[in-house]
Amino acid sequence: MKMDRSPSSQNSVNLEGASTSRIALFASAVGIVVLVLYASQPLVGVIGPELDISNNMSGLATTVTLLGYAAGLFFLVPLSDVVENKRLILTTLGADALALSVLAISPNGLVFLSASFVVGLLTSAIQMLVPVAASLSSEAHRGRTIGNVMSGLMLGILLSRPIASLVTQFFGWRYFYGALGMSVAILTIILYRRIPSFRPTGRATYGQLVRSLMSLVKEEPVLRYRAASQAMCMGAFGLFWTSVALQLGQAPFSLGQQGIALFALAGAAGVVIAPIAGRAGDRGLTGPMTVMAHLAIICAFFLAFAGVVLLPDKRSISLGLVVLAAVVLDLGVIADQTLGRRAINLLRPEARGRMNGLFTGLFFLGGAVGSALSGIVWNTWGWSGICVAGLIFATFAAAVFLKKSSV
């Protein structure tokens, strides 16, 4: 991907010099936009009765949103390799603000679920911003830049549930979606003045772009192995975070909605690893840092198991171990994802948008599998089963990377 002016010109220098505030803005932007992806999980008990959505169908709100996001990654993000990026990002975010407004005023379940899919689709704009941010930095500092933006992204994902719960508790769920829509609209106006114009050199048609996705997977081993490794990590992530609220709501913890929200806030501390992992990648430490990330995920599930199964009568220690498990798990997953995203952003600049969308879409499928399995595992084997399943995912992630340690 090339800018309208040569990357080696003065424009590149100016962008590099202005990158600190610009990258901070991008990190904040992706953190705000991504809030909606998982926000409906703690709200279904409130939204369902008001919109006459049955208990059996209430879980569709999050599922439909995530399906829309996946569709956007595979079919909307590739446009960033042929369409001028600033115009594409601003148009997508503007439409997202409107779709969020529709969510806020939905009169029934059908409108709400339809708007949820559209919102998920348009949320894929965050994966258009990441490669633009990467393009603002030299190759030597690209890991640090991606790590900083990823901090905002992962913080938004981790905070989406507690923020949605707290806002809904005090103001109502419609206020949450309405305020988020207004925030995205304001963000779009701010980005209009701050996003540089990147005009891709590609001349492929949209159909050719979509068909090229499979070719990229076949031709790029870094993409394949990094996506597979992160998919396993996200599977473990999905298992833990989808079921931990159920465990916290019963003995020995018996936490209420506010307590569970505070737990999620504590777990969000794991985002501090993103810029650290990015810098480690820039210094040639990708391999050792990735191994440490996988060991952290394995360790997290041992801590989670010990906290609930081995120390059920010591509530404070037990809860402390589960909180520590959440932080360590997030550290490992975010570190692996940051290192993987750095690696694929160093490949094929002319296909950076497609590569980024593919990477995210493929590992997203792993997270979806983990979330889907969590209910079955929880109902059959309880928390012990969740920890064992998480260990299996983490072990496979390590095995995939070690098999291709040169990636």
Side-chain angles (χ1 to χ4, degrees):
M1 181 184 297
K2 295 182 180 179
M3 293 181 290
D4 289 334
R5 289 164 284 184
S6 171
S8 60
S9 67
Q10 183 180 357
N11 184 49
S12 177
V13 176
N14 290 338
L15 287 175
E16 193 68 46
S19 65
T20 301
S21 61
R22 200 188 300 266
I23 297 307
L25 173 62
F26 282 11
S28 301
V30 297
I32 292 171
V33 176
V34 81
L35 282 174
V36 75
L37 280 187
Y38 295 96
S40 61
Q41 282 185 333
L43 306 184
V44 291
V46 179
I47 296 173
E50 183 172 338
L51 298 184
D52 198 24
I53 302 175
S54 68
N55 290 334
N56 291 335
M57 299 290 287
S58 59
L60 280 178
T62 302
T63 301
V64 167
T65 305
L66 295 177
L67 287 175
Y69 183 59
L73 293 173
F74 291 121
F75 300 110
L76 195 57
V77 173
L79 286 172
S80 61
D81 286 333
V82 291
V83 177
E84 196 278 308
N85 284 195
K86 181 176 181 177
R87 177 161 54 95
L88 177 63
I89 291 169
L90 295 178
T91 300
T92 306
L93 288 177
D96 187 36
L98 291 175
L100 284 165
S101 300
V102 174
L103 274 180
I105 61 174
S106 297
N108 55 57
L110 179 61
V111 173
F112 183 85
L113 293 175
S114 300
S116 294
F117 180 86
V118 175
V119 165
L121 180 77
L122 298 170
T123 299
S124 63
I126 59 181
Q127 298 304 335
M128 302 172 191
L129 279 166
V130 172
V132 170
S135 300
L136 298 180
S137 296
S138 64
E139 184 171 315
H141 297 93
R142 193 158 293 164
R144 181 177 63 184
T145 297
I146 293 172
N148 288 333
V149 176
M150 284 300 300
S151 294
L153 176 62
M154 293 307 298
L155 191 62
I157 290 175
L158 294 173
L159 293 181
S160 60
R161 298 176 184 89
I163 289 176
S165 296
L166 293 174
V167 172
T168 299
Q169 181 176 346
F170 292 105
F171 303 102
W173 67 269
R174 293 183 184 275
Y175 182 90
F176 169 76
Y177 286 113
L180 186 55
M182 185 176 298
S183 299
V184 174
I186 295 173
L187 181 66
T188 304
I189 296 172
I190 296 173
L191 288 174
Y192 174 78
R193 301 178 59 86
R194 299 301 304 276
I195 297 181
S197 295
F198 286 88
R199 188 173 300 281
T201 58
R203 294 293 181 266
T205 65
Y206 177 73
Q208 290 172 329
L209 281 178
V210 174
R211 287 192 295 271
S212 72
L213 296 179
M214 187 56 66
S215 298
L216 289 173
V217 173
K218 293 178 180 178
E219 295 168 4
E220 297 294 342
V222 174
L223 173 62
R224 289 199 305 273
Y225 287 98
R226 276 295 178 180
S229 173
Q230 178 59 200
M232 295 297 103
C233 293
M234 285 298 290
F237 180 90
L239 275 165
F240 181 90
W241 282 104
T242 304
S243 57
V244 72
L246 299 174
Q247 180 60 52
L248 293 173
Q250 63 182 39
F253 309 116
S254 302
L255 298 182
Q257 195 64 43
Q258 288 187 7
I260 294 173
L262 290 174
F263 176 89
L265 288 173
V271 299
V272 300
I273 195 63
I276 297 173
R279 289 182 176 90
D282 290 338
R283 294 170 182 168
L285 299 175
T286 295
M289 192 69 180
T290 302
V291 172
M292 290 176 62
H294 295 156
L295 289 176
I297 299 172
I298 292 172
C299 179
F301 282 99
F302 277 114
L303 289 170
F305 179 83
V308 175
V309 180
L310 301 183
L311 298 170
D313 299 326
K314 299 180 179 180
R315 185 177 184 274
S316 297
I317 297 176
S318 178
L319 181 59
L321 286 175
V322 178
V323 170
L324 181 60
V327 174
V328 174
L329 172 67
D330 291 351
L331 286 171
V333 173
I334 295 170
D336 182 85
Q337 185 176 144
T338 302
L339 292 164
R341 201 176 291 278
R342 175 188 179 276
I344 63 104
N345 270 283
L346 293 176
L347 305 171
R348 302 178 70 157
E350 80 284 356
R352 188 168 286 138
R354 281 168 288 164
M355 296 284 285
N356 200 62
L358 271 172
F359 175 68
T360 307
L362 291 172
F363 77 64
F364 167 82
L365 294 178
V369 170
S371 297
L373 287 176
S374 64
I376 299 172
V377 175
W378 172 265
N379 289 328
T380 307
W381 295 288
W383 187 249
S384 297
I386 293 293
C387 293
V388 171
L391 284 171
I392 293 173
F393 271 99
T395 302
F396 272 105
V400 167
F401 180 75
L402 291 175
K403 182 179 178 182
K404 193 69 175 180
S405 58
S406 61
V407 172

